[in-house]
């Protein structure tokens, strides 16, 4: 993979997932530690910076639109009812360890699961002549997987850096590692992916 | 058209277009007056409220992403170079005459021409079971027309309320009235459209 | 769920998956029998017809575009190399048990994983004022799940009829039942879903 | 513009537009001759081949889906009622003068106005690392313009080769030349565009 044609997206490295006191921290705490998600993601981010790749940070922010109140179901309804990632709260801030640099892209408007939905992600990739997309972040089997599914269908060479992702249990994480990563093809670890990029 | 299945989108009723001192005001001033855009749009908005339709306000906000600096051409480049609709300025505020009510939708993230691009407009319409979309605003032949093209392709019964739109010259406005409105089919005036909705 | 606002999509009930001699039959044969996918899908189809819902059949057809030769990776590359679902072959035909009726929609142009990608599915749903989408078919954890992810993000009330789906192993099927179905919310069996529709 | 990053799309060079006896031929005959659309498009195609650019042919085919019968309005309704471009007819065949070469892409599934809607055009451009899209064909102010609007919003450097397009009147053609081409920026003639590509 050519570095100039490769982008990295870091999904939802926010306090509500990553920090004690965050609303979803207890749900992921065990896997954060076992999988070493944060240090691995830092290594991935450092590698992407060193190689000069396009870097995109993608938080989820809960906006107070009335529409959401009436219409969503499943996991988005849980987020809404519990006011996770609520706009202007500490919980929705990106953690210091993964703080975006000034020249990096901060993707706004992610409102559902895939980072392509309702955002200008695809346009950013087009403008920057990106062919390869590396996905990391939270949750492995929800937003990260949904983003990878979308990227693959759109024709990007797609990789999940699964040791820089985090699920809610080890068995879920293993499922994605053994069953979904081969759907995409190629390596699925921070080191394996960075080694592919020249 | 059933009122419960009909949404109205009001595009870019912001100071930079509508108010003396706005950065694009001089370019549209003549047509604003000749076409009576603002009073017609107010009548359209009042009608939509009275019939209980879904109402969506759609400003354009220039965010300070570095990507924009390097990549756009044509009309978006002009907006960027002249810092029109810049975030947190008076110019990007919606004018009082068209102020959104609390229960109405304020669409964020419009970054290019069509209101469907990079926003969750289509999802809002789906959630609300909308079948018909009424388009009004600025400029008749750029963002309003681009939005109508997108809506039509997506399967919405689409109307432009052309006397609640505004172009940069009478001949352009007439072109859209006589040549593009028939591409969509149906009426293309505030009164004609409101009369269609029961 | 209102029947008039509900659509059912039946994904890839084709010989290459469902019939002895099909190129992927051996990979799914065990789960086809254990999960009783075909009889359950027939019951789902009969129920959808009885309730007067919109019915959409969605095969995958491998077209001989040169682009595919050079560009895909992962699972699509496997399909290509093995000429599965190749246009004009027996393998890509829909099985008799799930044969589309004349008035039902046959969705063409599915070329990747989600049935929304590169097709006019979203437009068909819009035109028909659909709010709810019921997903069934092959493979549970690839095209069916990708379609469900897309539908959910687009604002459709989304259900997977998982006993009318089929994976390549029982443990994968169980993963989707226990971990992904709750992401969507609501019931995930043929009988549970049909009971929701009035 | 780098030739390797540039694609050309040729829209609807089919008998129903281009040949005596075609269902829309009389509507465009005057402009076909005045604008010299076919010879200009041949020069554009030859130039694109010589430079080694990606070449995409995009016909419109009217499929006999029942959904279309009930749902479209405006120009698509006219096409439907008059069975223009009907599948398997002479009218929908691409003319010999613009016949696709074996290695060129034949885009299927265009069903509405923009060539991006319901097709895998964006995926083809992504796979091929395309940054620039050159649009030509029919009608200047309907499908060609809709495609250009979509391409611009998606972040492609977009040009209309307007002397290789055709409208239904000279005044419409002039409108697009003088008013819409500057929205995109850059040159808008076959020679001007080919000169940009190295």
């Amino acid at each position: 993979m050519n570095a100039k044609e490769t982008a990295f997206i870091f999904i939802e490295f926010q306090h509500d997932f990553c920090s004690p006191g965050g609303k979803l921290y207890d749900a992921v705490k065990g896997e954060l530690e076992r999988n070493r998600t944060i240090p691995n993601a830092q290594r991935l981010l450092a590698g992407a910076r060193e190689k000069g790749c396009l870097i995109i940070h993608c938080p989820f922010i809960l906006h107070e639109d009335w529409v959401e109140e009436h219409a969503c179901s499943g996991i988005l309804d849980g987020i809404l009812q519990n006011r996770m990632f609520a706009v202007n709260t500490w919980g929705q801030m990106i953690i210091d360890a993964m703080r975006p640099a000034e020249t990096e892209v901060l993707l706004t408007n992610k409102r559902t699961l895939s980072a392509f939905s309702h955002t200008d992600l695809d346009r950013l990739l087009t403008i920057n002549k990106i062919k390869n997309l590396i996905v990391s972040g939270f949750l492995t089997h929800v937003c990260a997987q949904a983003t990878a599914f979308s990227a693959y269908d759109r024709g990007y060479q797609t990789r999940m850096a699964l040791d820089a992702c985090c699920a809610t249990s080890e068995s879920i994480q293993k499922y994605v590692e053994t069953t979904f990563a081969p759907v995409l093809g190629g390596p699925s670890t921070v080191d394996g992916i960075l080694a592919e990029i020249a």
Side-chain angles (χ1 to χ4, degrees), chain A:
Chain A
M1 293 184 175
N2 184 322
K4 289 297 172 209
E5 297 174 354
T6 303
F8 287 70
I9 186 163
F10 296 90
I11 298 175
E12 299 168 16
F13 285 89
Q14 297 162 272
H15 287 305
D16 268 347
F17 271 132
C18 304
S19 302
K23 290 189 172 181
L24 283 159
Y25 179 70
D26 286 344
V28 298
K29 182 185 177 186
E31 277 296 287
L32 267 180
E33 289 172 12
R34 190 197 61 77
N35 202 32
R36 295 184 43 79
T37 302
I38 306 294
N40 287 337
Q42 290 182 288
R43 203 166 77 256
L44 188 68
L45 178 56
R49 284 171 176 164
E50 191 185 312
K51 289 170 189 288
C53 299
L54 181 69
I55 294 171
I56 300 166
H57 301 269
C58 181
F60 179 98
I61 315 263
L62 181 67
H63 297 277
E64 298 296 331
D65 299 317
W66 68 271
V67 174
E68 316 282 348
E69 302 281 351
H70 299 89
C72 60
S73 62
I75 195 169
L76 288 176
D77 188 53
I79 289 172
L80 178 70
Q81 297 308 324
N82 295 289
R83 291 284 181 271
M84 294 154 175
F85 310 106
V87 65
N88 297 330
T89 63
W90 170 82
Q92 56 84 45
M93 291 174 64
I94 293 176
I95 59 174
D96 283 352
M98 296 295 290
R99 189 195 304 247
E102 279 227 351
T103 54
E104 295 166 1
V105 179
L106 185 62
L107 194 70
T108 60
N109 217 44
K110 180 175 184 296
R111 291 165 169 257
T112 55
L113 305 186
S114 165
F116 284 92
S117 300
H118 323 303
T119 73
D120 55 337
L121 175 55
D122 209 346
R123 174 170 157 264
L124 290 171
L125 301 181
T126 296
I127 288 174
N128 288 283
K129 308 188 216 175
I130 298 302
K131 184 173 168 54
N132 316 304
L133 185 66
I134 314 303
V135 179
S136 61
F138 298 81
L139 294 169
T140 308
H141 61 300
V142 187
C143 294
Q145 188 183 8
T147 300
F149 260 131
S150 305
Y152 184 79
D153 268 20
R154 287 161 192 256
Y156 295 101
Q157 191 80 0
T158 307
R159 301 281 183 266
M160 291 184 79
L162 284 169
D163 46 353
C165 292
C166 186
T168 48
S169 77
E170 182 172 357
S171 66
I172 294 175
Q173 180 73 20
K174 292 296 179 199
Y175 166 84
V176 178
E177 289 173 9
T178 59
T179 305
F180 183 66
V183 169
L184 304 175
S188 58
T189 62
V190 168
D191 292 338
I193 290 167
L194 288 176
E196 264 199 318
I197 300 169

